[in-house]
């Protein structure tokens, strides 16, 4: 696909969005665009049922490309607008289960990239952080918002004000990381989990929407959304298959239709 970002799909309907820009997958404007395209492919392609985002065995991503950013002025950033944010929004809105498999550093925009996924599976040597403050910046691709929703206001402030790095075990305790695995296993484990989700019903998409959109609403509106999506499940083939299988005392083979 792109020069630095590829999407490959296996026989189980699991796509891997793979970043590959040595040495640290620094996110330059070309990668922002390629990530957006990858997110769109994963959204549009019906053969893709679940997604793993991976930066390879050494590093997830050390953030936006500081050398490229140093040369940019206000007008250029203004013109680029929320370029990276828009890319990350596309990834966060992939209506399928997504897992970030994190080896090594996930810093700044790299940490924010991992936050676009439903889950973060981390290598035991992974390190997460929002070090932008040390550059005279604040997080600009969702870090002040998605991180806060995940680990809470005061912990997010500690991360963003301090700019420190946190190991995988600490992140697991905070709820930022969902699983910790040996470094050479983390990608395979993420794919294995994604394959299990790929066999799940269309209702997974309804569940993702209910949770991700509901959390942005007041409780009454969120409950109305839940009711609408719950009801919509009855329009899916998988609801019929699931209930028929229960009544026949078997297990359903879902179609995600
Ligand atoms: N950008 C560019 N180059 C980077 C880089 C980065 N983020 N991180 C590392 N490198 C380069 C280093 O300069 C070095 O290059 P050479 O000197 O070999 O040419 C090479 O990668 C290896 O790095 P180190 O020599 O430093 O290796 P270490 O193992 O000692 O340390 C490290 C690895 C990842 C811990 C360290 O390099 C580091 O702290 N990197 C910076 C991490 C960081 O500050 N990340 C946050 C970047 S700011 C936007 C919204 C959001 C953003 C941008 C735009 N918009 C709304 C448009 C996001 C901003 C950020 O992410």
């Amino acid at each position: 696909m792109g020069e630095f970002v590829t999407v490959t799909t296996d026989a189980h309907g699991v796509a891997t969005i793979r970043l590959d820009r040595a040495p640290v997958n620094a996110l330059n404007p070309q990668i922002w665009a390629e990530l957006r395209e990858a997110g769109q492919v994963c959204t549009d392609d019906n053969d893709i049922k679940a997604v793993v985002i991976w930066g390879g065995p050494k590093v997830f991503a050390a953030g936006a490309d500081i050398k490229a950013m140093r040369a940019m002025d206000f007008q250029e950033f203004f013109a680029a607008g929320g370029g990276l944010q828009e890319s990350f929004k596309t990834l966060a809105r992939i209506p399928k289960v997504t897992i970030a498999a994190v080896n090594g550093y996930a810093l700044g925009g790299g940490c924010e990239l991992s936050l676009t996924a439903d889950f973060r599976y981390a290598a035991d040597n992974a390190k997460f952080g929002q070090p932008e403050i040390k550059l005279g910046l604040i997080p600009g691709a969702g870090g002040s918002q998605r991180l806060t929703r995940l680990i809470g206001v005061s912990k997010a402030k500690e991360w963003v004000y301090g700019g420190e790095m946190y190991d995988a075990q600490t992140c697991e305790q905070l709820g930022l990381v969902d699983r910790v695995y040996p470094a050479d296993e983390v990608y395979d484990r993420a794919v294995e989990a994604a394959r299990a989700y790929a066999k799940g019903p269309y209702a997974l998409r309804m569940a993702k929407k209910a949770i991700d959109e509901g959390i942005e609403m007041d409780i009454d509106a969120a409950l109305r959304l839940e009711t609408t999506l719950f009801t919509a499940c009855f329009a899916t083939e998988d609801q019929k298959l699931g209930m028929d299988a229960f009544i026949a005392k078997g297990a359903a083979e879902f179609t995600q239709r």
Side-chain angles (χ1 to χ4, degrees):
M1 212 178 93
E3 183 183 356
F4 302 125
V5 179
T6 52
V7 180
T8 50
T9 309
D10 71 11
H12 305 268
V14 172
T16 295
I17 298 177
R18 168 77 152 94
L19 283 76
D20 190 5
R21 182 171 184 245
V24 293
N25 291 333
L27 307 169
N28 66 357
Q30 186 178 333
I31 294 202
W32 309 355
E34 290 184 16
L35 280 171
R36 186 180 192 161
E37 207 183 316
Q40 203 57 54
V41 166
C42 292
T43 297
D44 294 343
D45 186 341
N46 283 331
D47 293 334
I48 295 175
K49 314 282 192 205
V51 179
V52 173
I53 305 172
W54 193 42
K58 292 201 183 109
V59 62
F60 187 71
D65 188 329
I66 300 169
K67 292 163 192 166
M69 273 196 301
R70 176 63 185 88
M72 291 169 77
D73 59 17
F74 168 80
Q75 279 87 347
E76 281 175 282
F77 261 109
F78 195 76
L84 192 53
Q85 245 186 28
E86 284 306 315
S87 300
F88 285 6
K89 241 191 249 174
T90 306
L91 293 168
R93 289 182 183 162
I94 294 172
K96 303 157 191 180
V97 178
T98 58
I99 302 173
V102 177
N103 288 83
Y105 296 111
L107 302 175
C111 184
E112 291 168 313
L113 173 61
S114 81
L115 294 172
T116 67
D118 293 320
F119 306 112
R120 279 142 297 283
Y121 289 8
D124 48 13
N125 66 357
K127 290 223 164 34
F128 293 77
Q130 297 289 161
E132 290 90 341
I133 208 78
K134 296 183 175 173
L135 302 169
L137 301 174
I138 66 167
S144 66
Q145 302 306 313
R146 291 196 182 96
L147 181 69
T148 307
R149 282 159 177 70
L150 205 53
I151 67 174
V153 171
S154 59
K155 277 292 165 201
K157 285 180 176 169
E158 198 177 302
W159 277 48
V160 172
Y161 295 177
E164 297 303 322
M165 290 189 225
Y166 299 88
D167 62 29
Q169 291 73 15
T170 305
C171 293
E172 189 180 26
Q173 282 159 16
L174 288 174
L176 183 120
V177 161
D178 300 283
R179 301 274 188 282
V180 180
Y181 294 116
D184 59 352
E185 284 179 27
V186 66
Y187 173 69
D188 290 344
R189 295 298 198 106
V191 169
E192 191 179 280
R195 283 180 183 166
Y197 283 117
K199 286 191 191 156
Y202 197 88
L204 283 169
R205 301 187 196 188
M206 303 298 190
K208 179 165 181 167
K209 202 171 170 62
I211 293 169
D212 285 350
E213 292 182 23
I215 200 169
E216 304 303 333
M217 298 172 173
D218 68 80
I219 186 75
D220 286 339
L223 288 170
R224 282 197 299 277
L225 173 67
E226 183 185 68
T227 302
T228 304
L229 292 168
F230 171 81
T231 311
C233 291
F234 283 79
T236 67
E237 190 173 298
D238 285 344
Q239 171 265 331
K240 314 269 176 304
L241 292 170
M243 291 195 179
D244 285 351
F246 175 81
I247 291 164
K249 300 194 185 302
E253 287 208 13
F254 292 116
T255 60
Q256 292 212 3
R257 282 197 296 270

